[in-house]
Amino acid sequence: MERLDRFELVALSKHLQTHELKNGALLLHRVHAADVAQLMPESSLTVLIPAYNEARVIGHTLESLWAQTRRPEKILVVDDGSSDDTGRIAAGLGVEVVRPLSNTGRKAGAMNFGLRFVETEWLVTLDADTALAPDALQQIVSAAQEQNAGAACGLVLPQRIRTVWERARFVEYLLAFGVIKPVQDWYRCPMVASGCFALYRTEMVKTLGGFPTETVSEDLDLTWRLYEAGESVKYVSGAICYPVEPPNLHFMRKQLARWSHGFAQNVRLHGRRILGVPMLRSFVIVATLDALLALLYLVMTPFLVVARGWHYLIAVYLTDLLLMAIPVLWMGFRLRLLSQAFASLPSVFVLRWLNVYYFWRAAVLEWVLGRPLRVFEKGH
């Protein structure tokens, strides 16, 4: 692939129009050369992208970066031993590509390899399958600077909303980033700066020893380490990213297993240190209790049917659906995704029970049997 000049790439590439979908996929629109002249000057910012066999998606991600209203000083792709054309495609799109001698085995390892090449004040970590809204970098950097935060995270929406699994995840994100995350942000304590798109002060990450490799959930681990170091994390609802979510059960199971084991590993790893961060302690307890209540409800469902009949269970589910629909539809309306939110609502019940299963499976394996998950598997 011919190496393109940065400004030629911006003018010729397609880019996201943040809130428009068609047939379940994000619409892409051309960025005109006249728009390029309005771009802000480059800032002290590096975007670090760990990539392993991401040839199918990395071009789309890089196009969204070149069309940002606030361009990064450097875009650095760590080609972590890919067997496909990931590195060649990235280099052809005008970014710096580095490659370790062998595959590091996990995302944190690839990011630590790339961290040695980062000298800017700010560092954005971005998954290779995650595109950004046009002003995402501008929004997240500005908010972090204003709040003097050590890190910041944005709003996450699925890049595609087609299958039942993508729709279920879409509803979960509307709930999480429309209700839960703003509450956590009020206390300056989001439980996690989502690994698909997060901003950090580079010096702080290096001071903490880089990206943690002790667990399969380095984003959760690093977020908690920041709190333990006295730093704050800012949630920026206007900084929107679009990752590729698991389209089927095969990949969803891998993602849920990694997330669940990552949570259990971090609770065990940080242990008593969590107690020293009051709001983080509260959010961890609430998340665990919520999973416990969901488990009890699942176990008691057959008894409810026998004791009260199917009509009672249907009434419970309809009430649950109504209570969930209010914030989901409101968030969908705000994002101009109301029809997609409405159509996706029933899908979340399919994913809910899988969440419960994998949470408690991981808890038993990690906390009771001492059988930790060590293999990092992608969820797409």
Side-chain angles (χ1 to χ4, degrees):
M1 181 179 293
E2 182 181 356
R3 187 181 181 93
L4 299 176
D5 177 83
R6 296 185 182 186
F7 292 100
E8 292 176 338
L9 180 63
V10 173
L12 295 174
S13 69
K14 294 180 179 179
H15 187 60
L16 294 171
Q17 179 68 31
T18 56
H19 299 146
E20 191 174 355
L21 293 121
K22 182 176 181 181
N23 298 326
L26 286 163
L27 281 178
L28 300 176
H29 300 276
R30 287 196 178 279
V31 174
H32 300 290
D35 297 327
V36 177
Q38 303 300 321
L39 298 180
M40 296 176 61
E42 293 183 355
S43 59
S44 182
L45 172 69
T46 294
V47 176
L48 177 61
I49 305 175
Y52 174 70
N53 288 347
E54 301 283 7
R56 292 186 302 107
V57 294
I58 196 166
H60 183 53
T61 298
L62 294 176
E63 286 173 358
S64 76
L65 283 173
W66 283 129
Q68 288 294 298
T69 56
R70 180 169 186 164
R71 295 195 310 273
E73 185 175 272
K74 176 190 288 188
I75 300 175
L76 180 65
V77 172
V78 180
D79 181 13
D80 196 14
S82 298
S83 57
D84 64 7
D85 289 333
T86 296
R88 186 178 65 85
I89 292 173
L93 288 171
V95 305
E96 183 176 340
V97 179
V98 294
R99 184 181 176 107
L101 293 177
S102 60
N103 181 266
T104 64
R106 61 181 56 201
K107 179 180 171 183
M111 290 193 294
N112 282 330
F113 181 83
L115 185 60
R116 69 184 71 178
F117 302 98
V118 178
E119 299 177 348
T120 52
E121 177 185 1
W122 294 98
L123 166 66
V124 162
T125 57
L126 184 68
D127 281 356
D129 66 350
T130 302
L132 296 181
D135 61 348
L137 291 182
Q138 179 182 344
Q139 291 259 4
I140 200 169
V141 173
S142 297
Q145 289 175 328
E146 290 173 4
Q147 298 292 324
N148 194 30
C153 55
L155 188 153
V156 183
L157 293 174
Q159 196 170 124
R160 295 189 294 263
I161 309 174
R162 296 171 178 168
T163 70
V164 63
W165 305 107
E166 292 166 340
R167 291 181 179 277
R169 182 51 52 75
F170 174 50
V171 173
E172 281 192 339
Y173 282 164
L174 292 180
L175 276 172
F177 292 93
V179 179
I180 299 173
K181 214 80 165 184
V183 171
Q184 295 176 346
D185 184 61
W186 177 265
Y187 295 98
R188 296 177 66 87
C189 192
M191 193 156 72
V192 59
S194 305
C196 59
F197 172 47
L199 172 77
Y200 303 97
R201 290 189 184 276
T202 305
E203 182 181 0
M204 179 55 63
V205 175
K206 292 184 176 182
T207 298
L208 292 175
F211 297 94
T213 58
E214 291 89 338
T215 74
V216 293
S217 184
E218 82 294 326
D219 53 354
L220 190 65
D221 194 349
L222 182 55
T223 303
W224 292 9
R225 289 172 190 251
L226 286 168
Y227 291 140
E228 291 163 3
E231 291 291 329
S232 65
V233 176
K234 176 65 179 173
Y235 165 57
V236 187
S237 61
I240 306 176
C241 69
Y242 302 92
V244 174
E245 293 296 335
N248 53 47
L249 179 59
H250 172 72
F251 287 113
M252 181 63 75
R253 290 170 58 187
K254 290 184 177 183
Q255 188 182 76
L256 291 179
R258 189 177 74 248
W259 287 5
S260 299
H261 278 268
F263 179 82
Q265 289 173 5
N266 276 287
V267 170
R268 186 186 67 245
L269 177 66
H270 291 265
R272 293 183 180 275
R273 286 177 290 173
I274 298 175
L275 300 178
V277 186
M279 292 315 303
L280 176 60
R281 177 184 64 215
S282 300
F283 294 142
V284 169
I285 292 173
V286 167
T288 305
L289 288 178
D290 180 66
L292 177 59
L293 290 174
L295 177 63
L296 292 175
Y297 182 68
L298 179 62
V299 171
M300 291 179 61
T301 295
F303 299 101
L304 288 173
V305 173
V306 172
R308 299 285 185 172
W310 283 102
H311 65 280
Y312 180 83
L313 185 63
I314 293 173
V316 170
Y317 270 95
L318 287 176
T319 302
D320 186 17
L321 181 62
L322 177 62
L323 292 174
M324 180 173 53
I326 295 173
V328 167
L329 295 180
W330 170 245
M331 192 66 177
F333 173 76
R334 288 179 54 196
L335 295 172
R336 301 179 185 177
L337 297 173
L338 181 58
S339 60
Q340 287 82 8
F342 183 81
S344 300
L345 269 171
S347 303
V348 77
F349 289 112
V350 179
L351 188 54
R352 174 178 293 180
W353 303 125
L354 269 181
N355 283 330
V356 174
Y357 169 75
Y358 278 100
F359 180 95
W360 289 107
R361 179 179 179 272
V364 171
L365 290 173
E366 296 281 348
W367 298 340
V368 180
L369 301 180
R371 292 165 51 189
L373 177 68
R374 295 302 184 197
V375 179
F376 188 97
E377 293 186 289
K378 295 194 300 182
H380 71 88

